[in-house]
Amino acid sequence: MKWSREAEEAVSKVPFFVRKRVKKRVAEEAARSGAREVALEHVNACRKRFLENMEEEVKGHQLERCFGANGCPNRALEENGLVEKIQQVLERRDLKEFLKERVKGPLKIHHEFRVSVSDCPNACSRPQIVDVGLIGTSRPTVTPVPCTDCGACMNVCREEAVDLMENAGGPSIDEERCLGCGQCIRVCPSGTLEEERKGYRVLLGGKLGRHPQLGRELPGIYSGEQVLDVVERCLDHYLKHNKAGERFGEIINREGIMEILKRE
């Protein structure tokens, strides 16, 4: 359905973490009224209902992902099906009912447990500021295959993590600078650079609000199955220590993350 300029501008001012949800509700509002175009009046009507009945909109969790699966050229890895599996894990926990028991007063959108998945270090879905953030990673390694010294790897690396030193016999990788985007691997014509590890970097406890903080990164790179295990452990930690519906980052600040890192 077509949107008027005024309606698009109004929705663009909605906080990003509920914008998709609000836009969907506005479109439904317009469709119910039989309109052929989404207008500002539909946005205003939906906004009023959303603010007055926010608890009805709360699901207990939010799961966001980037556009990687739709063909983004920056995608560092393809872990198809992971988002759906995380969704199933979240739904099994029935977090809305849990929050109803913990929160005094009506539930708000900011009470929800949030997970975000990005398929590359560009991190378009903002994994740094959610309870569990995942960033796709493809780490390069130097093989014995002779290097042609074409310089393509150096030219494509935005972090300047690849260097072709004279008489070094090939590229060197600065592990501290490398973000694991995998671009250097794709452009290497000789096969001197190839993928050594791929998976997800995991960030925990990010949040906005009155006391914002970025998620703290767990050591290592995690496979899809390992990510599911981490999400389960994070939810265990969240449900065990949540006192009043506070964000996961606040729980981590108070209780630490050792329970999450333990392996049985």
Side-chain angles (χ1 to χ4, degrees):
M1 183 180 293
K2 183 180 178 181
W3 284 63
S4 71
R5 180 176 59 82
E6 294 82 3
E8 288 184 340
E9 288 180 354
V11 169
S12 70
K13 297 175 182 177
V14 173
F16 72 88
F17 54 87
V18 293
R19 192 175 299 151
K20 288 183 180 179
R21 195 178 302 186
V22 169
K23 191 169 185 177
K24 179 181 178 182
R25 295 292 185 270
V26 171
E28 293 172 349
E29 178 79 21
R32 278 196 299 270
S33 67
R36 295 184 178 181
E37 180 181 82
V38 178
L40 183 59
E41 63 186 84
H42 303 125
V43 177
N44 291 334
C46 186
R47 178 191 291 120
K48 181 179 179 181
R49 185 159 53 250
F50 187 86
L51 292 175
E52 292 177 351
N53 304 287
M54 188 179 294
E55 186 161 8
E56 295 180 10
E57 296 289 334
V58 174
K59 297 189 302 181
H61 66 268
Q62 289 186 36
L63 175 58
E64 187 175 6
R65 75 159 308 156
C66 67
F67 294 107
N70 295 322
C72 176
N74 295 318
R75 197 177 191 191
L77 79 165
E78 298 183 13
E79 189 74 49
N80 295 320
L82 178 62
V83 172
E84 291 75 15
K85 291 177 181 178
I86 294 174
Q87 180 68 35
Q88 293 171 6
V89 169
L90 292 168
E91 290 176 351
R92 283 200 303 268
R93 297 301 183 117
D94 199 4
L95 295 174
K96 182 170 184 175
E97 290 303 313
F98 171 80
L99 287 169
K100 283 182 177 180
E101 297 176 358
R102 290 291 190 276
V103 177
K104 295 180 180 179
L107 297 181
K108 304 292 184 182
I109 294 296
H110 65 259
H111 288 125
E112 293 184 317
F113 189 93
R114 299 174 192 167
V115 179
S116 178
V117 183
S118 286
D119 287 344
C120 82
N122 287 344
C124 296
S125 57
R126 302 177 179 92
Q128 302 92 340
I129 53 174
V130 296
D131 300 304
V132 179
L134 307 174
I135 300 177
T137 300
S138 175
R139 285 280 186 176
T141 188
V142 181
T143 73
V145 177
C147 175
T148 63
D149 293 323
C150 69
C153 54
M154 286 183 61
N155 294 333
V156 78
C157 183
R158 295 164 60 180
E159 278 62 50
E160 299 182 351
V162 187
D163 192 15
L164 284 175
M165 300 180 65
E166 190 175 356
N167 300 321
S172 62
I173 308 295
D174 187 331
E175 294 291 338
E176 294 297 320
R177 288 177 177 267
C178 179
L179 294 181
C181 67
Q183 296 292 329
C184 61
I185 302 169
R186 296 190 189 114
V187 300
C188 179
S190 61
T192 304
L193 292 177
E194 67 177 24
E195 187 175 70
E196 178 186 34
R197 291 173 291 163
K198 68 177 180 179
Y200 289 92
R201 294 160 54 198
V202 179
L203 285 69
L204 303 183
K207 65 188 183 76
L208 292 179
R210 296 179 62 161
H211 302 284
Q213 65 184 33
L214 296 177
R216 63 185 72 180
E217 186 169 345
L218 297 183
I221 296 175
Y222 294 74
S223 68
E225 288 302 313
Q226 289 173 326
V227 163
L228 291 174
D229 180 59
V230 170
V231 172
E232 293 275 17
R233 290 173 180 272
C234 287
L235 288 168
D236 289 341
H237 199 60
Y238 174 78
L239 296 172
K240 178 180 179 181
H241 297 290
N242 194 305
K243 295 180 178 180
E246 65 266 41
R247 291 296 300 275
F248 190 45
E250 296 173 15
I251 295 172
I252 288 177
N253 293 342
R254 185 178 67 240
E255 304 291 341
I257 60 173
M258 291 309 298
E259 290 183 25
I260 301 170
L261 295 175
K262 287 179 182 177
R263 290 291 184 269
E264 297 176 0

